[in-house]
Amino acid sequence: MNSQDIIIAPATPPGEGGVAIIRLSGKGCLDLALDYFRASGSQTSPNSHVFYHGFIFDDSGSDVDEIMFVYMASPRSFTAEDVVEIHCHGGHQTVSKILQIFISAGARLAQPGEFSYRAFLNGRLDLSQAEAIADLIHARSDKARTLALSQLEGRLSQSLYKLKEQLKDILALIEAWLDFPEEELPQENIIQIRQQVESSIVQLQEMVSSYNTGRFYTEGVSLLILGKPNVGKSSLMNSLLGEERAIVTEIEGTTRDFLEEGLVINGLPVRLIDSAGVRDTLDPIEKEGVNRTLGKIKSSDLILLLFDGSQGFSSEDKAALDRCVHTNFLVLLTKADLPQRCILPDLPFEPLAISTKTGQGLDLLRKSIHGALIEADIQQEDSIFITNQRHQQAAISTTISLRRFLDALDQSFSLEFLAVDIREALNSLGQITGETTNDDILESIFSRFCIGK
Ligand SMILES: Nc1nc2c(ncn2[C@@H]2O[C@H](COP(=O)(O)OP(=O)(O)OP(=O)(O)O)[C@@H](O)[C@H]2O)c(=O)[nH]1
Ligand SMILES: [Mg+2]
């Protein structure tokens, strides 16, 4: 990507709408834009951050659209470069005609993520903030939005900055002593350094383990409804969705394939999966369905294991329960509106009685689903949530380097060794904010953005 060009792209999605926004960025973009803009007032050179009404015309001088024009002078713009936004009518023909005019005049169509990439190169955003923009755009729940916004506002960057400053101080101290090879690091410094590194490791570990919670809110969770035929799996799917999505009958083996639907449960985006009832069967179609269900058990974030409360606990129920050990699961006793006959074996937790006929237990179920997946309180002011696997990997690498540093300190290794470990830790931390991220990785991160972002 050449960062000298004037780039252009629609900032709004394709399709019809009241307004579409076309954005130009780069040195000289104002002059270029003014070549094809006629303000309706007398103003000839626009002030920064002020809207002007006028017309875009083409090379032949014909008007193309009536627009609003805004110029944002560097560095007070999204990319920190000179930026012009053209707010035109939101239709495909108008947008593509305006793009054509400026591309023929020398602007280049921006690549996906190129505006954000320039904002990053110009120091307007660090890498974790640029990634937060993409997360914000793709947020599928209110919590996901809040997390992305706090990352965009720099909460993650700030806490990383503090960590980095601490490690840099330690490195500076060690490097100062490197100049006196015959002397040892004073004991009081060693104690202080050890404490600082230990507390950094604790903070990093919190970040690493926050990833699951963060990931659940941003990417959503998969929730598998499991149980033998006729326990009420499809009925539960329908009740949670609030619509008759799955076929419900009193015939065992009604559901043969997966049914997947998205919904939000107490702020958590959920992919709810209804499955074929688990039992031994000779019917080849049902058998395939059962095999697929069993395959899904491992990949689900949480399993709702259903037992029919109106019937005795059977060997099929036992087989389903055995499949769930070592997974994250909740036990539900269904059909609580009927006389209860099911006597469950000992379980490490209380089963939940539900009825899809009366709605009993469904609110509690929603809370339990949330509780089984989200341990920490996401609103806690001082904790930072990582929502990106790349960040988690970098935090893990940092922790490994710091542990190695502590070992080396214990074994009185030379100061050079200690310095190497701290430098490595700093390098890993810098990958989150983009200071030490190599160009290939940067390119692959930004190329996942949409055009115009
Ligand atoms: N009384 C009562 N009946 C229920 C309840 N939930 C489901 N049923 C009935 O139980 C039968 C089976 O329900 P489904 O939801 O189709 O069960 P399933 O587990 O999806 O069954 P398969 O797809 O065959 O594995 C239907 O006749 C439902 O009306 C409930 O809460 N109370
Ligand atoms: Mg079913």
Side-chain angles (χ1 to χ4, degrees):
M1 288 192 237
N2 185 340
S3 54
Q4 302 303 315
D5 302 346
I6 295 175
I7 51 172
I8 186 167
T12 42
E16 294 173 7
V19 176
I21 300 174
I22 294 167
R23 182 154 58 180
L24 290 122
S25 180
K27 209 169 166 43
C29 74
L30 176 63
D31 288 341
L32 183 73
L34 288 177
D35 285 346
Y36 297 91
F37 174 63
R38 185 180 75 250
S40 49
S42 54
Q43 187 86 20
T44 46
S45 64
N47 293 321
S48 184
H49 293 81
V50 177
F51 265 99
Y52 294 92
H53 174 261
F55 295 85
I56 290 283
F57 53 86
D58 63 13
D59 279 319
S60 71
S62 321
D63 284 352
V64 172
D65 196 14
E66 181 182 359
I67 64 141
M68 295 298 288
F69 183 103
V70 60
Y71 160 58
M72 288 167 260
S74 168
R76 288 179 55 220
S77 73
F78 176 66
T79 54
E81 302 171 335
D82 281 347
V83 164
V84 168
E85 277 182 14
I86 293 166
H87 295 227
C88 61
H89 287 104
H92 175 69
Q93 295 302 331
T94 308
V95 171
S96 63
K97 178 76 187 175
I98 296 174
L99 287 175
Q100 257 173 38
I101 291 171
F102 287 109
I103 289 170
S104 319
R108 166 169 70 73
L109 190 66
Q111 292 175 22
E114 198 169 359
F115 290 93
S116 305
Y117 185 53
R118 287 190 175 190
F120 165 71
L121 285 182
N122 295 326
R124 242 290 264 119
L125 300 166
D126 70 28
L127 188 56
S128 73
Q129 289 174 306
E131 286 171 305
I133 297 177
D135 291 346
L136 195 58
I137 292 172
H138 297 125
R140 285 192 286 145
S141 72
D142 196 46
K143 278 281 165 46
R145 181 191 61 74
T146 324
L147 284 178
L149 187 66
S150 104
Q151 190 173 318
L152 176 60
E153 286 173 340
R155 271 193 61 198
L156 177 62
S157 315
Q158 279 156 19
S159 63
L160 291 174
Y161 178 79
K162 279 188 211 143
L163 267 176
K164 274 184 280 187
E165 286 306 298
Q166 244 182 38
L167 297 181
K168 278 183 195 161
D169 286 349
I170 296 174
L171 185 60
L173 187 78
I174 292 173
E175 280 174 343
W177 280 91
L178 271 175
D179 296 337
F180 308 99
E182 61 287 353
E183 297 196 34
E184 301 245 314
L185 211 56
Q187 196 57 33
E188 73 243 38
N189 283 352
I190 293 184
I191 293 170
Q192 193 195 359
I193 288 176
R194 162 169 282 287
Q195 275 171 356
Q196 282 177 346
V197 170
E198 276 169 355
S199 97
S200 303
I201 290 178
V202 170
Q203 282 180 59
L204 284 161
Q205 273 171 335
E206 278 171 15
M207 274 186 204
V208 170
S209 55
S210 76
Y211 171 62
N212 259 349
T213 306
R215 178 178 70 94
F216 285 161
Y217 276 120
T218 41
E219 290 174 16
V221 293
S222 58
L223 197 63
L224 177 67
I225 308 179
L226 191 73
K228 71 177 179 190
N230 245 14
V231 288
K233 297 180 295 297
S234 300
S235 305
L236 177 60
M237 166 103 164
N238 291 344
S239 291
L240 289 173
L241 285 173
E243 61 175 290
E244 298 305 307
R245 171 70 179 82
I247 300 173
V248 168
T249 73
E250 64 293 335
I251 302 161
E252 294 191 351
T254 304
T255 310
R256 302 283 181 102
D257 208 342
F258 292 119
L259 278 180
E260 228 178 284
E261 282 294 329
L263 76 159
V264 175
I265 296 181
N266 292 10
L268 204 59
V270 169
R271 259 173 299 119
L272 191 61
I273 306 162
D274 180 20
S275 64
V278 181
R279 65 166 166 185
D280 284 332
T281 171
L282 293 174
D283 179 334
I285 301 172
E286 195 184 350
K287 205 180 175 89
E288 177 58 25
V290 171
N291 283 337
R292 288 182 184 199
T293 302
L294 297 178
K296 274 269 181 208
I297 289 179
K298 267 206 198 100
S299 62
S300 302
D301 295 307
L302 180 67
I303 295 171
L304 302 182
L305 177 58
L306 273 54
F307 300 125
D308 189 334
S310 67
Q311 292 188 2
F313 190 79
S314 68
S315 57
E316 284 166 339
D317 290 322
K318 171 78 172 70
L321 179 61
D322 288 344
R323 300 264 181 195
C324 289
V325 269
H326 306 309
T327 69
N328 191 10
F329 71 108
L330 295 173
V331 170
L332 310 185
L333 271 176
T334 61
K335 309 186 189 178
D337 54 291
L338 299 177
Q340 295 293 288
R341 293 206 187 81
C342 187
I343 297 166
L344 290 176
D346 274 346
L347 293 169
F349 45 76
E350 278 293 299
L352 209 75
I354 60 159
S355 164
T356 56
K357 296 274 182 248
T358 64
Q360 179 192 330
L362 293 181
D363 274 341
L364 190 57
L365 172 62
R366 290 188 190 91
K367 284 199 190 101
S368 307
I369 290 171
H370 193 266
L373 291 162
I374 307 293
E375 292 149 29
D377 180 3
I378 203 132
Q379 300 292 4
Q380 269 173 17
E381 267 307 304
D382 50 349
S383 48
I384 301 292
F385 284 83
I386 285 185
T387 57
N388 181 312
Q389 193 172 16
R390 199 182 68 76
H391 300 174
Q392 191 202 30
Q393 280 307 324
I396 291 172
S397 309
T398 314
T399 316
I400 292 172
S401 302
L402 293 181
R403 288 236 168 80
R404 208 178 309 124
F405 171 86
L406 287 180
D407 284 346
L409 197 65
D410 280 344
Q411 295 172 35
S412 310
F413 277 12
S414 76
L415 292 175
E416 276 95 348
F417 275 110
L418 296 176
V420 167
D421 290 330
I422 292 283
R423 277 196 210 101
E424 270 179 22
L426 277 166
N427 187 58
S428 304
L429 269 188
Q431 287 175 10
I432 302 181
T433 40
E435 292 142 56
T436 53
T437 314
N438 72 40
D439 289 350
D440 290 349
I441 295 178
L442 285 179
E443 210 149 290
S444 95
I445 290 171
F446 283 102
S447 66
R448 286 196 292 262
F449 283 44
C450 41
I451 288 235
K453 196 55 243 165

